[in-house]
Amino acid sequence: MTDSIRLFDSHCHIDFSHFDDDRDAMFERMAAVGVEGCVVVGVDFGHIDSLRELAQARDNVWFSVGIHPNHEVEVEPTIEQLCELADHPRCVAIGETGMDFFRHHVDPDIQENRFRTHIRAAKMLNKPVIVHNRDADEASIQILRDEQISKCGGIMHCFSADMATADAAIELGMHISFSGNVTFKRNEELREVAANVPAELLLVETDSPYLAPMPFRGKRNEPAFVKQVAECIAEVRGRPLSELAAQTTANTRRIFNISN
């Protein structure tokens, strides 16, 4: 592991089949650049076993339980189901959940009810909520406000909205997490948001295997590439990478209640 840099990938999907051929080597590459841990995020109930197995096999992996807003299911999750599935010592969050108006695989009313169910389960468990928001800023913020998200806290994952949306989420006590898209050349406005999020609420992630940062754009993403995300944000904030990495790692451990 790199001595001077401590990074944490706050959101990835390394249980996916994209990593079946080189998962062990992927963990080695993580360690080589100073990534000391990652949260593997649930998108449906079918992956629960693989998430648990991965977290139990590795002392630097934690996981979450949830159904993605655009994942089609025959029966909607209940608060009781979410609480039961999240009853594991290495489950640190509920989600990802939220609202997505970019793709319409799931009706917005169903997405909203699902989102509220996840938040209510999270409050019962006192675990943070991992929020997916795409082209649904107003709806997402309103639901977070209605459901009193501050009682359990949460993360606006792979943030891609404007500063007004960030400010609204911050006012509710939400953390803001940035992924590889913050490095894309056209995303100057997003980098401006990253420059202004309060340091104590800032996280970095990969969302791997998706959204690989520059200069890997178009390739499969992986947790080691969170370093490029951190480098970009450190530059726009005018801070050393080691400082930015230490801050975001401390923030990740705090919001997810990860002590070891």
Side-chain angles (χ1 to χ4, degrees):
M1 180 180 286
T2 304
D3 291 337
S4 60
I5 299 175
R6 296 177 56 239
L7 289 158
F8 209 114
D9 186 354
S10 69
H11 189 117
C12 62
H13 302 284
I14 55 172
D15 58 313
F16 285 7
S17 61
H18 302 67
F19 299 96
D20 286 351
D21 293 336
D22 69 337
R23 193 170 282 110
D24 288 342
M26 179 212 72
F27 278 109
E28 292 175 3
R29 292 190 292 271
M30 278 176 56
V33 298
V35 182
E36 64 183 37
C38 62
V39 177
V40 190
V41 176
V43 294
D44 61 47
F45 288 170
H47 283 79
I48 296 298
D49 288 344
S50 62
L51 290 169
R52 284 177 171 169
E53 289 169 6
L54 190 56
Q56 288 169 178
R58 300 270 180 175
D59 63 6
N60 62 343
V61 174
W62 293 262
F63 74 98
S64 70
V65 169
I67 297 182
H68 190 282
N70 260 325
H71 187 78
E72 296 177 273
V73 296
E74 292 184 3
V75 180
E76 285 298 306
T78 64
I79 294 173
E80 292 74 20
Q81 281 180 307
L82 287 163
C83 288
E84 181 179 355
L85 291 170
D87 184 19
H88 188 283
R90 299 192 73 81
C91 179
V92 295
I94 296 295
E96 62 185 284
T97 181
M99 303 294 288
D100 189 326
F101 294 166
F102 179 75
R103 296 186 177 91
H104 291 282
H105 301 311
V106 176
D107 184 271
D109 288 341
I110 295 175
Q111 290 188 35
E112 177 177 341
N113 290 332
R114 184 183 297 178
F115 191 9
R116 292 182 186 275
T117 296
H118 279 69
I119 296 172
R120 291 167 189 175
K123 288 191 291 187
M124 289 185 67
L125 295 169
N126 195 29
K127 295 182 187 288
V129 180
I130 299 171
V131 177
H132 172 107
N133 166 48
R134 189 163 186 190
D135 292 355
D137 302 345
E138 185 175 344
S140 295
I141 293 297
Q142 187 59 56
I143 292 166
L144 292 171
R145 186 176 291 118
D146 290 347
E147 295 294 334
Q148 298 180 297
I149 191 64
S150 61
K151 291 186 175 181
C152 60
I155 302 97
M156 302 297 287
H157 122 79
C158 192
F159 194 82
S160 60
D162 58 15
M163 194 68 221
T165 303
D167 284 340
I170 289 165
E171 186 178 347
L172 296 171
M174 296 292 286
H175 288 62
I176 311 294
S177 182
F178 294 92
S179 185
N181 56 336
V182 77
T183 72
F184 298 170
K185 292 181 180 179
R186 60 180 172 80
N187 280 348
E188 292 182 7
E189 183 180 358
L190 186 58
R191 284 188 287 278
E192 183 66 18
V193 177
N196 287 285
V197 168
E200 68 274 13
L201 299 178
L202 181 65
L203 305 182
V204 290
E205 63 171 90
T206 60
D207 201 18
S208 50
Y210 313 113
L211 285 177
M214 300 294 288
F216 306 110
R217 188 175 184 182
K219 299 180 180 180
R220 184 198 70 177
N221 202 0
E222 61 178 78
F225 296 170
V226 79
K227 182 179 180 182
Q228 280 68 35
V229 178
E231 285 175 337
C232 174
I233 297 175
E235 181 178 355
V236 300
R237 293 176 74 93
R239 310 305 301 172
L241 173 60
S242 58
E243 179 184 307
L244 188 284
Q247 177 75 65
T248 55
T249 294
N251 294 346
T252 302
R253 287 183 171 277
R254 186 184 64 254
I255 185 63
F256 289 122
N257 195 26
I258 296 171
S259 58
N260 63 322

